[in-house]
Short mmCIF file of all heavy atoms in Angstrom, two decimals:
data_model
loop_
_atom_site.label_atom_id
_atom_site.label_comp_id
_atom_site.label_asym_id
_atom_site.label_seq_id
_atom_site.Cartn_x
_atom_site.Cartn_y
_atom_site.Cartn_z
N ALA A 806 6.91 17.07 0.88
CA ALA A 806 6.88 16.47 -0.45
C ALA A 806 8.26 16.41 -1.10
O ALA A 806 9.08 17.33 -0.96
CB ALA A 806 5.94 17.26 -1.35
N ILE A 807 8.51 15.32 -1.81
CA ILE A 807 9.72 15.16 -2.61
C ILE A 807 9.31 14.71 -4.01
O ILE A 807 8.24 14.13 -4.21
CB ILE A 807 10.71 14.15 -1.99
CG1 ILE A 807 10.08 12.76 -1.85
CG2 ILE A 807 11.20 14.67 -0.64
CD1 ILE A 807 11.07 11.69 -1.43
N TYR A 808 10.21 14.96 -4.99
CA TYR A 808 9.88 14.73 -6.38
C TYR A 808 11.04 14.13 -7.14
O TYR A 808 12.21 14.37 -6.83
CB TYR A 808 9.50 16.05 -7.07
CG TYR A 808 8.30 16.72 -6.47
CD1 TYR A 808 8.43 17.65 -5.45
CD2 TYR A 808 7.02 16.41 -6.94
CE1 TYR A 808 7.32 18.25 -4.89
CE2 TYR A 808 5.90 17.01 -6.38
CZ TYR A 808 6.06 17.93 -5.36
OH TYR A 808 4.95 18.53 -4.82
N GLU A 809 10.71 13.37 -8.18
CA GLU A 809 11.70 12.95 -9.14
C GLU A 809 12.12 14.17 -9.97
O GLU A 809 11.31 15.05 -10.24
CB GLU A 809 11.10 11.86 -10.04
CG GLU A 809 12.10 11.11 -10.90
CD GLU A 809 12.30 11.77 -12.23
OE1 GLU A 809 11.33 12.33 -12.77
OE2 GLU A 809 13.44 11.73 -12.74
N ASP A 810 13.39 14.19 -10.38
CA ASP A 810 13.94 15.39 -10.99
C ASP A 810 13.16 15.85 -12.23
O ASP A 810 12.99 17.06 -12.45
CB ASP A 810 15.40 15.17 -11.38
CG ASP A 810 16.32 15.14 -10.18
OD1 ASP A 810 15.91 15.54 -9.08
OD2 ASP A 810 17.48 14.71 -10.36
N SER A 811 12.70 14.92 -13.04
CA SER A 811 12.07 15.29 -14.30
C SER A 811 10.71 15.96 -14.13
O SER A 811 10.21 16.58 -15.08
CB SER A 811 11.93 14.07 -15.21
OG SER A 811 10.98 13.15 -14.71
N VAL A 812 10.10 15.84 -12.95
CA VAL A 812 8.80 16.46 -12.72
C VAL A 812 8.88 17.63 -11.76
O VAL A 812 7.88 18.33 -11.56
CB VAL A 812 7.75 15.44 -12.22
CG1 VAL A 812 7.70 14.23 -13.14
CG2 VAL A 812 8.03 15.02 -10.78
N GLU A 813 10.03 17.86 -11.18
CA GLU A 813 10.22 18.97 -10.24
C GLU A 813 9.83 20.28 -10.92
O GLU A 813 10.29 20.60 -12.01
CB GLU A 813 11.66 19.03 -9.77
CG GLU A 813 11.95 20.10 -8.73
CD GLU A 813 11.50 19.70 -7.35
OE1 GLU A 813 11.75 18.53 -6.96
OE2 GLU A 813 10.90 20.54 -6.66
N GLY A 814 8.98 21.05 -10.25
CA GLY A 814 8.53 22.32 -10.80
C GLY A 814 7.32 22.23 -11.70
O GLY A 814 6.72 23.26 -12.03
N ARG A 815 6.96 21.02 -12.12
CA ARG A 815 5.78 20.82 -12.96
C ARG A 815 4.66 20.11 -12.21
O ARG A 815 3.49 20.41 -12.42
CB ARG A 815 6.13 20.01 -14.20
CG ARG A 815 7.12 20.69 -15.13
CD ARG A 815 7.23 19.95 -16.46
NE ARG A 815 7.73 18.58 -16.28
CZ ARG A 815 7.09 17.49 -16.67
NH1 ARG A 815 5.92 17.58 -17.29
NH2 ARG A 815 7.63 16.29 -16.48
N PHE A 816 5.01 19.16 -11.37
CA PHE A 816 4.03 18.36 -10.64
C PHE A 816 4.00 18.79 -9.18
O PHE A 816 5.03 19.16 -8.61
CB PHE A 816 4.37 16.88 -10.69
CG PHE A 816 4.22 16.22 -12.03
CD1 PHE A 816 3.99 16.96 -13.19
CD2 PHE A 816 4.31 14.84 -12.13
CE1 PHE A 816 3.85 16.34 -14.42
CE2 PHE A 816 4.17 14.21 -13.35
CZ PHE A 816 3.94 14.95 -14.50
N THR A 817 2.83 18.68 -8.57
CA THR A 817 2.68 18.96 -7.15
C THR A 817 1.85 17.86 -6.50
O THR A 817 0.73 17.59 -6.94
CB THR A 817 2.00 20.31 -6.90
OG1 THR A 817 2.76 21.36 -7.52
CG2 THR A 817 1.91 20.60 -5.40
N ILE A 818 2.40 17.23 -5.48
CA ILE A 818 1.65 16.25 -4.71
C ILE A 818 1.09 16.94 -3.47
O ILE A 818 1.75 17.78 -2.86
CB ILE A 818 2.52 15.04 -4.33
CG1 ILE A 818 1.67 13.94 -3.68
CG2 ILE A 818 3.69 15.43 -3.44
CD1 ILE A 818 2.42 12.62 -3.48
N SER A 819 -0.12 16.58 -3.10
CA SER A 819 -0.75 17.15 -1.92
C SER A 819 -1.72 16.14 -1.33
O SER A 819 -2.01 15.11 -1.94
CB SER A 819 -1.46 18.47 -2.24
OG SER A 819 -2.50 18.25 -3.18
N ARG A 820 -2.21 16.46 -0.15
CA ARG A 820 -3.15 15.56 0.50
C ARG A 820 -4.23 16.36 1.21
O ARG A 820 -4.00 17.47 1.68
CB ARG A 820 -2.44 14.64 1.49
CG ARG A 820 -1.77 15.37 2.65
CD ARG A 820 -0.84 14.43 3.43
NE ARG A 820 -1.57 13.33 4.02
CZ ARG A 820 -1.01 12.16 4.34
NH1 ARG A 820 0.28 11.95 4.12
NH2 ARG A 820 -1.75 11.20 4.90
N ASP A 821 -5.41 15.77 1.28
CA ASP A 821 -6.52 16.34 2.02
C ASP A 821 -6.96 15.27 3.00
O ASP A 821 -7.67 14.33 2.65
CB ASP A 821 -7.65 16.74 1.09
CG ASP A 821 -8.78 17.45 1.80
OD1 ASP A 821 -8.92 17.31 3.03
OD2 ASP A 821 -9.55 18.17 1.13
N ASN A 822 -6.52 15.40 4.24
CA ASN A 822 -6.78 14.37 5.23
C ASN A 822 -8.27 14.24 5.56
O ASN A 822 -8.74 13.16 5.91
CB ASN A 822 -5.98 14.64 6.50
CG ASN A 822 -4.50 14.44 6.30
OD1 ASN A 822 -4.07 13.72 5.40
ND2 ASN A 822 -3.69 15.09 7.13
N ALA A 823 -9.01 15.34 5.45
CA ALA A 823 -10.44 15.29 5.72
C ALA A 823 -11.19 14.44 4.70
O ALA A 823 -12.26 13.93 4.99
CB ALA A 823 -11.01 16.71 5.75
N LYS A 824 -10.62 14.31 3.50
CA LYS A 824 -11.25 13.53 2.44
C LYS A 824 -10.55 12.20 2.17
O LYS A 824 -10.92 11.49 1.25
CB LYS A 824 -11.28 14.34 1.15
CG LYS A 824 -12.13 15.60 1.23
CD LYS A 824 -12.14 16.34 -0.09
CE LYS A 824 -13.02 17.57 -0.02
NZ LYS A 824 -13.04 18.30 -1.31
N ASN A 825 -9.54 11.87 2.96
CA ASN A 825 -8.74 10.66 2.74
C ASN A 825 -8.27 10.56 1.30
O ASN A 825 -8.33 9.50 0.67
CB ASN A 825 -9.54 9.41 3.12
CG ASN A 825 -9.48 9.09 4.59
OD1 ASN A 825 -9.30 9.97 5.43
ND2 ASN A 825 -9.65 7.81 4.92
N THR A 826 -7.77 11.67 0.78
CA THR A 826 -7.42 11.75 -0.63
C THR A 826 -6.06 12.38 -0.83
O THR A 826 -5.72 13.37 -0.17
CB THR A 826 -8.47 12.56 -1.40
OG1 THR A 826 -9.76 11.94 -1.25
CG2 THR A 826 -8.14 12.63 -2.88
N ALA A 827 -5.29 11.80 -1.74
CA ALA A 827 -4.05 12.39 -2.22
C ALA A 827 -4.24 12.85 -3.65
O ALA A 827 -5.03 12.26 -4.40
CB ALA A 827 -2.91 11.39 -2.14
N TYR A 828 -3.51 13.88 -4.03
CA TYR A 828 -3.61 14.44 -5.37
C TYR A 828 -2.24 14.54 -6.01
O TYR A 828 -1.22 14.66 -5.33
CB TYR A 828 -4.22 15.84 -5.33
CG TYR A 828 -5.58 15.90 -4.70
CD1 TYR A 828 -5.73 16.28 -3.37
CD2 TYR A 828 -6.72 15.60 -5.43
CE1 TYR A 828 -6.98 16.34 -2.78
CE2 TYR A 828 -7.97 15.66 -4.85
CZ TYR A 828 -8.10 16.03 -3.54
OH TYR A 828 -9.35 16.08 -2.97
N LEU A 829 -2.24 14.49 -7.33
CA LEU A 829 -1.06 14.83 -8.10
C LEU A 829 -1.48 15.81 -9.18
O LEU A 829 -2.14 15.42 -10.15
CB LEU A 829 -0.41 13.59 -8.72
CG LEU A 829 0.90 13.85 -9.46
CD1 LEU A 829 1.99 14.26 -8.46
CD2 LEU A 829 1.33 12.63 -10.26
N GLN A 830 -1.14 17.07 -8.99
CA GLN A 830 -1.40 18.10 -9.99
C GLN A 830 -0.24 18.07 -10.98
O GLN A 830 0.91 18.26 -10.60
CB GLN A 830 -1.51 19.47 -9.35
CG GLN A 830 -1.73 20.61 -10.33
CD GLN A 830 -3.07 20.53 -11.01
OE1 GLN A 830 -4.08 20.26 -10.36
NE2 GLN A 830 -3.09 20.75 -12.32
N MET A 831 -0.55 17.84 -12.24
CA MET A 831 0.45 17.71 -13.28
C MET A 831 0.26 18.83 -14.29
O MET A 831 -0.74 18.87 -15.00
CB MET A 831 0.36 16.35 -13.97
CG MET A 831 0.45 15.18 -13.01
SD MET A 831 0.47 13.58 -13.86
CE MET A 831 -1.19 13.58 -14.54
N ASN A 832 1.22 19.74 -14.33
CA ASN A 832 1.18 20.87 -15.26
C ASN A 832 2.26 20.72 -16.32
O ASN A 832 3.25 20.02 -16.12
CB ASN A 832 1.39 22.18 -14.50
CG ASN A 832 0.28 22.49 -13.52
OD1 ASN A 832 -0.87 22.10 -13.73
ND2 ASN A 832 0.63 23.20 -12.45
N ASN A 833 2.05 21.41 -17.44
CA ASN A 833 3.02 21.38 -18.54
C ASN A 833 3.42 19.95 -18.89
O ASN A 833 4.60 19.61 -18.97
CB ASN A 833 4.25 22.21 -18.18
CG ASN A 833 5.15 22.46 -19.37
OD1 ASN A 833 4.71 22.42 -20.52
ND2 ASN A 833 6.43 22.70 -19.11
N LEU A 834 2.43 19.12 -19.11
CA LEU A 834 2.69 17.72 -19.40
C LEU A 834 3.45 17.55 -20.71
O LEU A 834 3.27 18.31 -21.65
CB LEU A 834 1.38 16.94 -19.45
CG LEU A 834 0.79 16.64 -18.08
CD1 LEU A 834 -0.69 16.32 -18.18
CD2 LEU A 834 1.54 15.47 -17.44
N LYS A 835 4.30 16.54 -20.72
CA LYS A 835 5.14 16.22 -21.86
C LYS A 835 4.84 14.81 -22.33
O LYS A 835 4.38 13.97 -21.54
CB LYS A 835 6.61 16.33 -21.49
CG LYS A 835 7.03 17.69 -20.95
CD LYS A 835 8.48 17.69 -20.51
CE LYS A 835 8.89 19.05 -19.99
NZ LYS A 835 10.31 19.06 -19.56
N PRO A 836 5.10 14.50 -23.60
CA PRO A 836 4.86 13.13 -24.07
C PRO A 836 5.56 12.07 -23.23
O PRO A 836 5.01 10.97 -23.05
CB PRO A 836 5.40 13.16 -25.50
CG PRO A 836 5.18 14.57 -25.93
CD PRO A 836 5.47 15.40 -24.71
N GLU A 837 6.73 12.37 -22.71
CA GLU A 837 7.45 11.41 -21.89
C GLU A 837 6.81 11.15 -20.53
O GLU A 837 7.24 10.27 -19.80
CB GLU A 837 8.92 11.81 -21.71
CG GLU A 837 9.11 13.22 -21.21
CD GLU A 837 9.39 14.21 -22.32
OE1 GLU A 837 8.72 14.13 -23.37
OE2 GLU A 837 10.29 15.06 -22.15
N ASP A 838 5.78 11.94 -20.18
CA ASP A 838 5.00 11.68 -18.97
C ASP A 838 3.96 10.59 -19.19
O ASP A 838 3.31 10.17 -18.22
CB ASP A 838 4.31 12.95 -18.49
CG ASP A 838 5.27 14.03 -18.06
OD1 ASP A 838 6.28 13.71 -17.39
OD2 ASP A 838 5.01 15.20 -18.39
N THR A 839 3.77 10.15 -20.41
CA THR A 839 2.78 9.12 -20.71
C THR A 839 3.12 7.83 -19.96
O THR A 839 4.22 7.30 -20.08
CB THR A 839 2.73 8.85 -22.21
OG1 THR A 839 2.24 10.03 -22.88
CG2 THR A 839 1.80 7.70 -22.53
N ALA A 840 2.16 7.34 -19.19
CA ALA A 840 2.37 6.15 -18.37
C ALA A 840 1.09 5.83 -17.63
O ALA A 840 0.15 6.63 -17.60
CB ALA A 840 3.50 6.37 -17.36
N THR A 841 1.07 4.66 -17.02
CA THR A 841 0.06 4.36 -16.02
C THR A 841 0.57 4.88 -14.68
O THR A 841 1.69 4.57 -14.27
CB THR A 841 -0.22 2.86 -15.93
OG1 THR A 841 -0.66 2.39 -17.20
CG2 THR A 841 -1.29 2.57 -14.90
N TYR A 842 -0.24 5.68 -14.02
CA TYR A 842 0.14 6.28 -12.75
C TYR A 842 -0.52 5.52 -11.61
O TYR A 842 -1.73 5.29 -11.62
CB TYR A 842 -0.25 7.75 -12.72
CG TYR A 842 0.68 8.62 -13.51
CD1 TYR A 842 0.71 8.55 -14.90
CD2 TYR A 842 1.56 9.49 -12.87
CE1 TYR A 842 1.59 9.33 -15.64
CE2 TYR A 842 2.44 10.28 -13.60
CZ TYR A 842 2.45 10.19 -14.98
OH TYR A 842 3.32 10.96 -15.71
N PHE A 843 0.28 5.16 -10.62
CA PHE A 843 -0.17 4.38 -9.48
C PHE A 843 -0.03 5.18 -8.20
O PHE A 843 1.01 5.80 -7.96
CB PHE A 843 0.65 3.09 -9.35
CG PHE A 843 0.51 2.15 -10.49
CD1 PHE A 843 1.34 2.23 -11.59
CD2 PHE A 843 -0.47 1.16 -10.47
CE1 PHE A 843 1.21 1.36 -12.65
CE2 PHE A 843 -0.60 0.28 -11.52
CZ PHE A 843 0.23 0.37 -12.62
N CYS A 844 -1.04 5.13 -7.37
CA CYS A 844 -0.96 5.63 -6.02
C CYS A 844 -0.43 4.54 -5.11
O CYS A 844 -0.77 3.36 -5.28
CB CYS A 844 -2.35 6.08 -5.56
SG CYS A 844 -2.42 6.79 -3.91
N ALA A 845 0.42 4.92 -4.16
CA ALA A 845 0.99 3.97 -3.23
C ALA A 845 1.03 4.58 -1.84
O ALA A 845 1.01 5.80 -1.68
CB ALA A 845 2.40 3.56 -3.66
N ALA A 846 1.09 3.72 -0.83
CA ALA A 846 1.11 4.20 0.54
C ALA A 846 1.95 3.28 1.41
O ALA A 846 2.11 2.09 1.12
CB ALA A 846 -0.30 4.30 1.11
N ARG A 847 2.49 3.84 2.47
CA ARG A 847 3.22 3.09 3.47
C ARG A 847 3.06 3.79 4.80
O ARG A 847 2.71 4.98 4.86
CB ARG A 847 4.70 2.97 3.11
CG ARG A 847 5.47 4.28 3.19
CD ARG A 847 6.94 4.10 2.81
NE ARG A 847 7.59 3.06 3.58
CZ ARG A 847 8.14 3.23 4.78
NH1 ARG A 847 8.13 4.42 5.37
NH2 ARG A 847 8.70 2.20 5.40
N GLN A 848 3.33 3.07 5.86
CA GLN A 848 3.38 3.66 7.19
C GLN A 848 4.79 4.17 7.43
O GLN A 848 5.75 3.41 7.29
CB GLN A 848 3.01 2.65 8.26
CG GLN A 848 1.58 2.12 8.18
CD GLN A 848 0.57 3.11 8.71
OE1 GLN A 848 0.90 4.18 9.19
NE2 GLN A 848 -0.71 2.74 8.61
N GLY A 849 4.91 5.45 7.79
CA GLY A 849 6.21 5.97 8.20
C GLY A 849 6.86 6.87 7.18
O GLY A 849 6.21 7.58 6.42
N THR A 850 8.18 6.81 7.16
CA THR A 850 9.04 7.76 6.47
C THR A 850 8.82 7.82 4.97
O THR A 850 8.53 6.80 4.33
CB THR A 850 10.52 7.40 6.76
OG1 THR A 850 10.73 7.37 8.17
CG2 THR A 850 11.48 8.41 6.15
N VAL A 851 8.99 9.01 4.41
CA VAL A 851 8.93 9.21 2.97
C VAL A 851 10.16 8.59 2.31
O VAL A 851 11.29 8.89 2.67
CB VAL A 851 8.86 10.71 2.63
CG1 VAL A 851 8.94 10.92 1.13
CG2 VAL A 851 7.59 11.32 3.20
N TYR A 852 9.94 7.71 1.33
CA TYR A 852 10.99 7.11 0.53
C TYR A 852 10.63 7.23 -0.93
O TYR A 852 9.46 7.37 -1.29
CB TYR A 852 11.19 5.64 0.88
CG TYR A 852 11.80 5.37 2.23
CD1 TYR A 852 11.08 4.69 3.21
CD2 TYR A 852 13.10 5.76 2.52
CE1 TYR A 852 11.64 4.43 4.44
CE2 TYR A 852 13.66 5.50 3.75
CZ TYR A 852 12.93 4.84 4.71
OH TYR A 852 13.49 4.58 5.95
#
């Protein structure tokens, strides 16, 4: 996992392959986190 600097230490991305599901645990949310959040996928390397 890699993170944008402003969420490092607050957010955790994880996956459960048995459920075909990805998660984003967001702790200590701040007003500047307000947004529409999109899930995305690609084949291959993390970018």
Side-chain angles (χ1 to χ4, degrees):
I807 60 172
Y808 299 91
E809 193 270 325
D810 287 346
S811 69
V812 308
E813 183 78 44
R815 297 190 298 123
F816 290 10
T817 302
I818 188 171
S819 62
R820 63 192 298 156
D821 186 338
N822 291 336
K824 296 181 178 180
N825 276 27
T826 301
Y828 302 98
L829 185 68
Q830 178 66 44
M831 304 185 294
N832 296 330
N833 192 24
L834 283 160
K835 302 176 180 180
E837 53 263 43
D838 296 318
T839 294
T841 301
Y842 283 70
F843 296 89
C844 182
R847 69 180 306 275
Q848 296 283 357
T850 304
V851 174
Y852 290 116

